[in-house]
Amino acid sequence: MDPEKQAPSASSQSSAKPRSSSSKKRNKRKKTKNPGSSAQTPVSSKNESEEFEERSESPTPMSLHSMSTERPDLSCAKPQDRNVALAEPSVPGRLPEKGDNKVFPPIMKNWTKEHVRDWLITELRISPKVAQNLYDQEFSGACLVSFNKSHLKELGVPLAPTLQILQEVETYSKCSETSMRLQESQKFEKMVQENLEAQTVTTDSGFHSESVSVQHEVKDAFEESVTEPFHEHLQIQTPSPLKPAFCVLRPFDKSSVPVFYTEHHFLPAVTSPSNLLEPVHEYQLLPDSNEISQKEALFEFTNEMFCFAASCMNSRTNGTIHFGVKDEPEQEHGQIIGHKISSMRLYTEAFESNVEKYFEPQHIDTARMCLRPPVFVQVQCEDGTASDKWVIEVDVVPQYSETQESVFYTILVIPSVEKHQQQSKIECLFVREGLKKVNVLSDSNPRVYQDKIKELNDKVKHWASARRAAEERYETPPSSEQQGQRLKQLITRGQDSLSDSMQVFVVTDKCPSSQLEYMDFLKELNLFTVFDFDPETDANGACHFYRKDRAANLHFPHMYTTQDKTSVIAKLNLFKQTSWVFCNGQAGEENDSERPLSQGEWLKKRSGDINNMVSFLCSADLLPKHRLLVLIVLHTPVSDISSPILETFCALHRSLEGMDNMLCLCKDATVFSHWKNFVEVRCKEDISNKCIYTLSLHEISSTIKKLKEPQTRASRRFLPSTGSSSVLLEKKEEEMMTDLEILCENECEKTEIETNKSFEEFKKNTEEVFYRGGQVSWWNFYLSEQPGSLPFIKRDKYDELHQLICPAQSYTSPCVIVSLFHHPGCGGTTLAKHVLWSLKKKFRCAVVKNQMATNKDIALQVKTLLTYGKQDQSGYTPVLLLVDNWYDADDLKQCIISTATDRSQPNNLVVLILNCERTPVPDKTSINCYNPNVFISTKLSSKEKNLFSEKYQELKDNHEKPDTFYAFMIMKNDFSKDYISDLVSNILKDLDVGSHQGRLLSFLALLNTYVNGSYMSLALCEELTGIRNPLWMQETLEEKMNPYSTLLITFNVEEHGTYQAVRILHPMIAENCIKVFGENQVHLSDITIDLLHCDSIYKTCMGKDFLNQFIQSMLVTRTRREHGDDKTTLFSPLIEDIQKEEGFDKIKEVLEKAIDRFDRSATLPQALARHMCLNEKDFECALKWALDAQSKRSNSYIADTVGQIYKSHLKKLIEDSKEPSSEVLDECLELASKAMSAFKESQELAKKDEQNDPFDRYGRKVRTGYNTSGYLGETEVIIMLLDLITDLPVFPISDRHKRDKMLQVLRGQQPVSMLGNHNDPEINATVNVLKDHGRFLVSLKPRLKEIFTFFENYFIYFRPRHVPLNKETVDERNKRKASELFKKYITFFSCSEEEKEQERARNPKLSHQQVIEEHRRELEMIQADSFAGLLQSLSHKNLGENIFEKWNFIFENSVSRYPSTSDTVNYILANIVLHSAQPNSSLLKKYEELVSLLNDVLQREGTRSNLPELYYLCMLLMWPSKHQTLKNFTEYDNISTYIASAKKSFHKRFGFIFPSRSAIAHFFLGKSSGLKRIVSKAKLDQILFESNPTEDDYPNLHSLWHSGLAWSTRNIREKLLRVKGKSENGDIYVTYGANTKIMIRPAYLGDIRSGYSREDVSFYIGFTLEGPVAYDVKYEK
């Protein structure tokens, strides 16, 4: 009840009643103002105080109508607000007048153009000229509310009036909306009055009628909710009263009902007796413990309690006295304070032991029957956390059967003032009189005394009679059987059981500890999110109870407020583990966003986060509505219309558009009554038929658990362990491994479903789903092992795969990959799972079920599975991990080695990865794979055919239509194309291709044919076929698509959420469906354009992002052999098929439609640009689309496309002009220049390219190469241009040296002007064009040199991180092309022998400098003029001395005092290369001389040189050894510094290449000394060739290195030095002497195990330009 409606409470003791000393002290304290109470007292204005007095005198509460008709005082409103403020709430839309009192319609968009013109002139005082201009242009109210600034500007409205109009329109709209809301409030007055007035609620024991105060609370709160926003909008400055927050009283005579009161909130004001059954209330506040002793406090408690009890018993009315609540009059009346209680037992004992002291002996038993023991109600803080205070309540129930017509006197003890004085007693007779109790015996006049006694005896008889009648009229509550049935129907949605696929939201308040055990039904549900409003839930509430057995992540609402839905799903582990959300913060947190808040703070600071979270969780692309159930679990009554839990309910109600998905579980009828009333007011909906309130929580829990589907998994699941033992896998621990589907050794055994009557149906359905084309389940294997069943079909490759895996002891590596390659749809994954099933008792088997998981996450979960149930015992049961079509199995292996392997057993297998990979050429892929592997294809052996035939007979016996199990039938018929063609033709013969069914089938066929693994969500398919409301499953997709549904399969998808999806049974069926559509004149382009036009696909829906990726990938993704495809194409297979069947025009139309649909995509306009360039030769149009793509996303590939268009245009121009004119030449040079600029841009952008593949739907595939297309394209353009220029007729035909002269110009040896003037005007015009582009022409040769230098460094210093075997990669193709172009470059710019002879004839004595230049040109011709070129020449033994002699001459005849650093570095390397090829050559310098030479360079360059090659030589020549001979060189001590400099310099120069490539080790550390200990990689390759004569090609040689087999070759071990070091902090260190400690990077990350353990290791050292690398790392112990 509102405190404004309460009358002042009289003192509980009359003035005539004897009082104890402590009572006097307390009353004295009551008169003293409490200084701490002012903060809790609302501040009211003078008018509001007067109103309070008027209302408190009136017994009738103020109605909503009277509240709503009051008008706000606008005297304090801001000037700009007054126009709006004057509008009357009762007449929305009536605007303030400026003189003519014109009335405008309430909704602005309904205004006519006359209204708009008048409003602009009279209200906004806009210029009449402007207003008339808008009037003339038909500017109505609809225009006014929809136009923006740019629109008004186009209509000729100046800027200032434009801004004024927009501001006033916004202000008017807000005010109009609020005014209408106030008007609507009047409509609900009658409804609220009827629902809340005199509502009687009954309980199981005792009698209780809900207080009228609840009616007042709801009304006042509603008044507040509808008026406050209006006042706030008008910015009224007058202070408003703070409405006190009320708590709902504990249900009368219900001691076990869990209730909480909130400190400083209020209980309803006390009332006089009404119908005797409705309890009266009295509030008492005992003195603080620091003011009186505990004994005095107990005396006060019993005194007040028994006096109140006697007054109720005599008046025959139910009643409750509350200790810990203020009883002062006015605003503090009913405020909850609470008492700190040291022992509840003392109060209970005081109650029990003092009954006989206060009542007469004949009435002691009656008093005991009428008084209920004290109930202790905990007081919680305003933020929802628990406090140490309590309210003590005692109920009095004077039933007629106990009290009859008796009168109950009370004996009060008066404490003595003196210590030894005897206590006196006085007899009292208390009755209820109004709001207070009075002592009838207080009058000292004997006559009056006798009259009162006589009068009271008559009244007691009357009261007793009335009590008896009231009890007889009392009706027992209805049976709860109906609600039990309703619970079953609502929670199952009319089905027989609660489906496991249902995602459940739970909204709950604080659950009392006594009820927690009945919240166990939550553990049986598929909980998605729990909205918990208990701040202490994780300490002692529902969350703590749930997490004992189930996994749940603790979250806060603000974690859901982001635009990136995908990242939220991944970070919060949604769909994998329950998200338990602290909706009102967590106790103990101090952060504003995470600490508990009071109700007022919550509404201001946290309600927005809750709304955002609800919008996120209820969006259609996260969860389909038909799979969502929201449970509202209420343990205590909601007492305020702005309660946080009610706000959350309203947010859910809005997002889900009603109550269809919701069910409220209320603890009892009282909780339901309050909840129902508030929801009716807020949501305007009667929720009675959606609420369960007569069942106990125990009954609800048991009912829900009984409704669960029979479990298909054993309740106790076991993992195999060492020594043939087993360990129990706890459900909570299994849930923590979110990315793994664990196969237990007792999988499918002793499950509920086997003993259920529905088992036969389950068995048939399981077989049908699999044999129709669904994924195999463990149940398929289990059922095939049961008596009477044929064994599961064992494929021929089963034994071979089984033998590769077993025995595990045969492997010496901790992690091994075994690959299974297969055609799509030929049973590869089924075979892999069959092997897992057979090995489930030897391995701990698991399948990676989440394709979005990262390798690191999987490795951590594999480690958990591996070590589960083990403490310190030695030995593990290995994990057999199945990954299906995994993006990078090698990286997964390294992550597992790094994370999960045991350092104490480095050579024992702990994880075996079974990599199941789809490929169009499994046989070739198998041959080229370096891992142990098998393959299967779309060809059955005769043995397999017999097995399928036998299985078919069994299916015929057990199923009605086994011929419709098409996936099985396709395999049974050996993948016969004729069978599939006939099958599809027969099923689709009556298909209406224009119907909903035909449209959906065409979409699925197109996607499944051209995008492997594609699908559409079930919800989208239902929408496309016209199924509008799947909530109650009135119509299914299978029924809607019949008879074509036999070609479809529904399955679960776990990618960014869990949902159901649909695809065609088999890829070959999809291909034939496309053919059938073609025969019906529905071509590929028609289906594609229809798919692009279908708006439903691109709206918010489940799996929308993936579907969009499927569609775009289908249009742009090309096939490439290096990716495992059977061929390389210029365009996507779909585009190429459209080209073959329908021509170029359809390609353009399709791609243009796609660009319109995906307007932000850059790859689609890029694809169209490539089509226009390559197919249609429309270079202008191609350039337009390429530039459009570049404007949307700038990367090296799109820039390369721009360059390719210019290059193609140039090539076409040259081809079409056999003898180019000067105009054509000029155009060619312009095109070449533009092409080169575009390619240069591509080269720069390649350094910043994103590494992820944009069409990898999992966002994990990394591009395997650095994009060098820009370099190659620029080279091709230059070579093309050189071909054109060198053949130009600018010299006489008779001039034999015309080409050499042109090359001299291009080399910069002669100016362009030397081309001279000619008599032929055309030749002169050509020469003039060349002169105009002279600088450009001269730059061509140096630019080519730069590009070839880049290619040398790229291909010689680096190797790809992932090298597919027998697959020519893009890099390898580019390397081959670059080599061919280099040959042309040499041909162009090398001097002919004739030219050399002429030069020698002119200069018989060539200078040293000229000879040096000639040597450099010769070295350039054989690619040995650079450091990288010299490294490449390691494999050219025959050129060793020739190369060295030229470098020796260059070095020895240097003009400057010191040769350049690069020349010196190259000269030293030339010595090392020559020594590697011809170690006995007499030309070689001594080792010491080379070190001295290197030392001189180091002294000049220091440690900051930009040449990593310099520091590379330091590693080769100055690497320390135990028998060091270089005592004189101090640089020996600085080797660690030089290594650091090498890494820094190398990364500075080549850092942009590193993500895709790694540095190559060209040399290794050998056992000898001097130059002999520098062993080249080429030498080691030669040893491998000789040791493995069958391994005679590069790819297999690479396999030896990659697999590690090379290190086990005896000759290599004899050649290389095995170095000992230590692993520290994840790195390797080797120590020489006392001060030299060198860090060495392991070649493979998995070589060093996690844990930062200091271990002794040994390894071989390889030298890369980045630094030393450790190979074949082994732990010594």
Side-chain angles (χ1 to χ4, degrees), residues 250-268:
R250 174 183 59 83
F252 180 71
D253 200 20
K254 291 284 188 179
S255 60
S256 61
V257 172
V259 174
F260 303 94
Y261 293 152
T262 303
E263 191 174 17
H264 304 309
H265 287 199
F266 289 79
L267 294 180

Side-chain angles (χ1 to χ4, degrees), residues 1411-1562:
V1411 177
I1412 288 174
E1413 291 304 317
E1414 183 176 335
H1415 282 329
R1416 288 189 189 278
R1417 284 197 296 269
E1418 292 172 353
L1419 287 170
E1420 183 183 10
M1421 290 176 63
I1422 59 175
Q1423 289 183 287
D1425 62 330
S1426 65
F1427 197 89
L1430 286 168
L1431 288 175
Q1432 190 179 24
S1433 67
L1434 281 166
S1435 56
H1436 302 156
K1437 297 181 180 180
N1438 298 332
L1439 298 177
E1441 289 193 350
N1442 182 31
I1443 293 171
F1444 179 79
E1445 287 173 351
K1446 288 179 171 55
W1447 272 114
N1448 188 61
F1449 183 86
I1450 293 171
F1451 180 76
E1452 296 289 348
N1453 295 280
S1454 176
V1455 178
S1456 59
R1457 179 181 176 186
Y1458 296 109
S1460 68
T1461 301
S1462 60
D1463 282 350
T1464 305
V1465 165
N1466 290 342
Y1467 173 67
I1468 295 174
L1469 181 61
N1471 275 273
I1472 297 174
V1473 170
L1474 178 59
H1475 181 274
S1476 178
Q1478 302 175 33
N1480 299 319
S1481 174
S1482 59
L1483 301 176
L1484 288 170
K1485 293 287 183 181
K1486 292 183 179 180
Y1487 171 63
E1488 290 76 12
E1489 292 180 61
L1490 295 177
V1491 173
S1492 178
L1493 190 59
L1494 178 60
N1495 183 41
D1496 292 340
V1497 179
L1498 287 171
Q1499 288 185 354
R1500 293 198 302 269
E1501 293 291 331
T1503 58
R1504 297 187 178 182
S1505 172
N1506 291 327
L1507 286 175
E1509 293 87 349
L1510 171 62
Y1511 305 114
Y1512 182 65
L1513 292 177
C1514 292
M1515 289 185 272
L1516 296 181
L1517 297 176
M1518 296 183 174
W1519 191 265
S1521 66
K1522 294 182 179 179
H1523 306 290
Q1524 189 56 246
T1525 59
L1526 302 178
K1527 303 282 186 182
N1528 299 327
F1529 297 106
T1530 57
E1531 280 64 27
Y1532 159 74
D1533 296 328
N1534 297 326
I1535 186 65
S1536 296
T1537 305
Y1538 296 143
I1539 291 173
S1541 298
K1543 184 175 182 178
K1544 183 177 180 181
S1545 176
F1546 193 64
H1547 277 265
K1548 183 177 180 181
R1549 188 167 153 195
F1550 300 112
F1552 57 89
I1553 298 177
F1554 268 96
S1556 58
R1557 297 177 77 85
S1558 58
I1560 293 177
H1562 288 281

Side-chain angles (χ1 to χ4, degrees), residues 274-329:
S274 56
N275 62 359
L276 302 183
L277 297 185
E278 181 180 345
V280 297
H281 297 272
E282 184 173 303
Y283 302 144
Q284 293 291 335
L285 188 62
L286 298 175
D288 290 339
S289 58
N290 57 355
E291 296 178 356
I292 61 174
S293 65
Q294 189 176 69
K295 183 177 180 181
E296 290 176 314
L298 291 172
F299 177 79
E300 287 284 324
F301 166 71
T302 54
N303 221 32
E304 297 290 350
M305 174 184 60
F306 288 120
C307 291
F308 171 80
S311 70
C312 291
M313 291 166 66
N314 285 322
S315 300
R316 299 302 191 271
T317 180
N318 291 343
T320 303
I321 184 170
H322 309 257
F323 293 93
V325 182
K326 284 187 176 181
D327 60 342
E328 284 104 344

Side-chain angles (χ1 to χ4, degrees), residues 778-876:
W778 305 126
W779 275 99
N780 293 114
F781 303 115
Y782 177 78
L783 293 173
S784 66
E785 294 176 349
Q786 302 310 300
S789 298
L790 284 177
F792 197 86
I793 295 176
K794 186 179 290 188
R795 302 295 295 274
D796 286 351
K797 295 296 178 76
Y798 172 90
D799 291 331
E800 187 177 344
L801 183 59
H802 192 283
Q803 290 168 5
L804 284 178
I805 296 172
C806 294
Q809 293 78 8
S810 62
Y811 292 103
T812 58
S813 173
C815 184
V816 173
I817 298 176
V818 173
S819 297
L820 169 60
F821 301 105
H822 63 97
H823 278 121
C826 74
T829 305
T830 302
L831 170 59
K833 287 191 171 183
H834 194 184
V835 173
L836 254 69
W837 177 263
S838 65
L839 295 174
K840 65 183 185 295
K841 296 187 178 181
K842 294 183 179 179
F843 289 83
R844 292 189 173 180
C845 299
V847 181
V848 175
K849 63 180 180 180
N850 178 20
Q851 294 292 322
M852 301 300 302
T854 65
N855 285 338
K856 290 183 180 178
D857 289 341
I858 293 173
L860 289 172
Q861 293 179 29
V862 167
K863 179 180 180 180
T864 302
L865 178 61
L866 176 71
T867 59
Y868 184 80
K870 304 288 290 184
Q871 279 89 33
D872 299 327
Q873 302 96 329
S874 61
Y876 295 106

Side-chain angles (χ1 to χ4, degrees), residues 339-495:
H339 291 304
K340 293 183 179 180
I341 299 175
S342 59
S343 173
M344 297 179 186
R345 180 177 55 82
L346 293 176
Y347 286 85
T348 303
E349 290 177 352
F351 167 81
E352 296 289 348
S353 60
N354 284 296
V355 176
E356 61 269 16
K357 295 180 182 178
Y358 284 87
F359 290 94
E360 296 175 306
Q362 68 272 23
H363 292 144
I364 291 176
D365 290 339
T366 301
R368 290 187 185 279
M369 295 300 295
C370 293
L371 269 71
R372 304 291 188 254
V375 176
F376 300 89
V377 180
Q378 189 171 21
V379 178
Q380 61 184 14
C381 301
E382 290 185 88
D383 60 10
T385 56
S387 74
D388 59 350
K389 295 182 179 180
W390 303 80
V391 169
I392 311 169
E393 298 181 344
V394 178
D395 294 332
V396 183
V397 188
Q399 292 182 346
Y400 176 78
S401 59
E402 300 295 340
T403 56
Q404 298 293 323
E405 296 181 356
S406 302
V407 176
F408 301 95
Y409 289 86
T410 307
I411 302 167
L412 297 182
V413 178
I414 301 176
S416 59
V417 179
E418 299 296 334
K419 186 175 182 180
H420 300 289
Q421 188 176 348
Q422 189 175 2
Q423 292 180 340
S424 58
K425 297 182 179 180
I426 186 171
E427 187 177 63
C428 301
L429 182 60
F430 290 102
V431 294
R432 303 302 299 177
E433 188 173 293
L435 304 179
K436 59 186 178 181
K437 59 180 178 289
V438 295
N439 180 13
V440 178
L441 306 182
S442 60
D443 200 311
S444 58
N445 187 326
R447 178 173 294 181
V448 175
Y449 177 89
Q450 292 298 327
D451 290 342
K452 284 187 176 182
I453 292 295
K454 182 178 179 182
E455 182 183 357
L456 180 63
N457 286 329
D458 294 337
K459 283 184 177 181
V460 167
K461 292 179 181 179
H462 171 72
W463 290 337
S465 175
R467 174 78 188 196
R468 183 177 184 178
E471 291 179 6
E472 289 174 351
R473 289 195 303 270
Y474 171 73
E475 296 181 1
T476 58
S479 170
S480 59
E481 290 183 5
Q482 184 178 2
Q483 289 235 307
Q485 184 61 32
R486 182 183 298 171
L487 172 62
K488 295 176 183 178
Q489 184 179 18
L490 290 175
I491 205 165
T492 63
R493 291 179 179 165
Q495 305 299 313

Side-chain angles (χ1 to χ4, degrees), residues 84-85 87 92 170-180 230 233-234:
V84 180
E170 181 181 1
T171 303
Y172 182 91
S173 299
K174 290 181 180 178
C175 180
S176 177
E177 180 183 346
T178 309
S179 300
M180 293 183 70
F230 183 68
H233 177 63
L234 298 180

Side-chain angles (χ1 to χ4, degrees), residues 2-27:
D2 194 316
E4 297 175 356
K5 300 170 190 151
Q6 65 193 27
S9 174
S11 172
S12 59
Q13 302 284 350
S14 68
S15 58
K17 173 185 169 182
R19 304 187 182 187
S20 66
S21 58
S22 59
S23 298
K24 293 177 182 178
K25 290 179 184 178
R26 178 165 57 85
N27 289 337

Side-chain angles (χ1 to χ4, degrees), residues 1124-1141:
D1125 299 314
D1126 55 348
K1127 61 181 178 179
T1128 298
T1129 59
L1130 287 174
F1131 297 92
S1132 73
L1134 171 63
I1135 296 299
E1136 298 220 333
D1137 286 349
I1138 292 176
Q1139 176 184 328
K1140 292 175 187 175
E1141 298 174 13

